[in-house]
Each structure stands twice: as C-alpha cells, then as structure tokens.
Amino acid sequence: MATREEVINGISMVIQEGRRVANDLTDAQWELVVDIDGWKATEVLAHIAGIGGIVVPMLGGIAGAPAGTDTFAAVDINQINAGIVAARAGKTAKELADELDAGYRGVIEFVKNAPDDMLAKRVTVAGYRDVPISDIMIRMVVMHGLAHIYSVYSSVMNAG
C-alpha cells in the first residue's frame, strides 16, 4: 500500500512537471497533436489541470461505495474528459499550469487530512479490483498525470 508521504510526493511531482512542461514548449509545440485521441499538447495539459479539481470528490465517491462495487461502472470517462478539455479551451499554458497547481495542492491537503482507514480502504475502480485507495491515487492520479506529461514531451521531441 502506498504511504501518505508517497502519495503526497507523487502529487507534488505532477505539479512540478506540469509547471515544467508549461514553461518548456513553444507556441507552435503547444498546437501539435500529441495524444492518440487527437488532443493537442494544450488539451492534454487542460485535461491534467481539470482532473486536479475532481480528484477529491471522486475519492469521496470511491470511498463511500459499498464493498465490491465498481465505482466507475456507470461512468462515461470519455464524456467527462471531453467536458474537462472543452471547459478550458483557449486557456494559456500558464493559466492551465496555475489551475493544475491549485487543484493538486488541494488534493495534497485532502491527503494530509484523510483518515488512515480511508487511504487503506480496499476498493474496486474500473480494472483495479480490491486495491487500497492510496494505491488508486498513485495509479489514477500520479502515474496518469505524469504519463500524459511524458506523452507531450515525447510527441513534441519526436515531431522533429
């Protein structure tokens, strides 16, 4: 099970690397399609920023679900993602990085104050079955955000 400190450190890295990517790319690079779903680099950053604002309520729903319930069974993740990205259309990389920073700092505060038994609670979410919430956070928040950031860098660097 991931420790509280590991979750906080991971989320801090998402903030750090979100800021870094926001500062590293040129205007032309932000317009490149970098995602298999056809998202431009700015849309990927918008997605990550928006996720930061829904993590805490998402965790509340996951933690409150009856044991064995797949809390994402009825969730249309593609629709949610499209809405998150569309709501941030036209924002600059700096604005998105600021939103990402604020959202994920809120998640860090939540994790700092979360009861131990909540972080340890075993849940089922999509393909993850009977996994502690702290591990869900590492996989679905930290690794998810970092994977998207890496995909932006990788695609931009390979665009030649």
Side-chain angles (χ1 to χ4, degrees):
M1 180 180 118
T3 66
R4 185 183 313 271
E5 182 177 298
E6 289 169 337
V7 174
I8 290 168
N9 289 341
I11 295 168
S12 295
M13 184 171 229
V14 172
I15 295 168
Q16 172 189 307
E17 296 309 314
R19 283 257 179 232
R20 187 184 320 271
V21 75
N23 292 322
D24 281 356
L25 303 186
T26 66
D27 289 343
Q29 289 171 324
W30 280 114
E31 292 302 314
L32 292 173
V33 172
V34 298
D35 184 81
I36 60 171
D37 292 325
W39 283 347
K40 295 177 182 177
T42 51
E43 293 167 323
V44 172
L45 190 58
H47 168 68
I48 301 165
I51 293 296
I54 66 170
V55 168
V56 172
M58 178 186 75
L59 289 173
I62 291 169
T69 302
D70 182 349
T71 53
F72 274 28
V75 173
D76 184 342
I77 198 69
N78 292 325
Q79 181 182 14
I80 291 170
N81 287 338
I84 288 170
V85 171
R88 288 157 184 79
K91 286 193 174 187
T92 66
K94 182 189 179 328
E95 290 169 328
L96 293 169
D98 289 346
E99 180 182 353
L100 183 154
D101 189 296
Y104 285 95
R105 287 196 190 283
V107 177
I108 288 172
E109 285 307 307
F110 174 82
V111 172
K112 283 180 181 177
N113 296 303
D116 291 338
D117 62 335
M118 182 206 172
L119 295 175
K121 182 177 181 184
R122 300 185 80 78
V123 297
T124 297
V125 182
Y128 299 113
R129 298 192 193 321
D130 195 33
V131 176
I133 286 179
S134 64
D135 286 348
I136 293 293
M137 292 187 71
I138 290 292
R139 296 171 192 179
M140 294 181 73
V141 179
V142 174
M143 291 171 62
H144 173 251
L146 292 173
H148 275 303
I149 292 167
Y150 177 74
S151 77
V152 169
Y153 278 125
S154 178
S155 296
V156 166
M157 296 308 121
N158 289 320

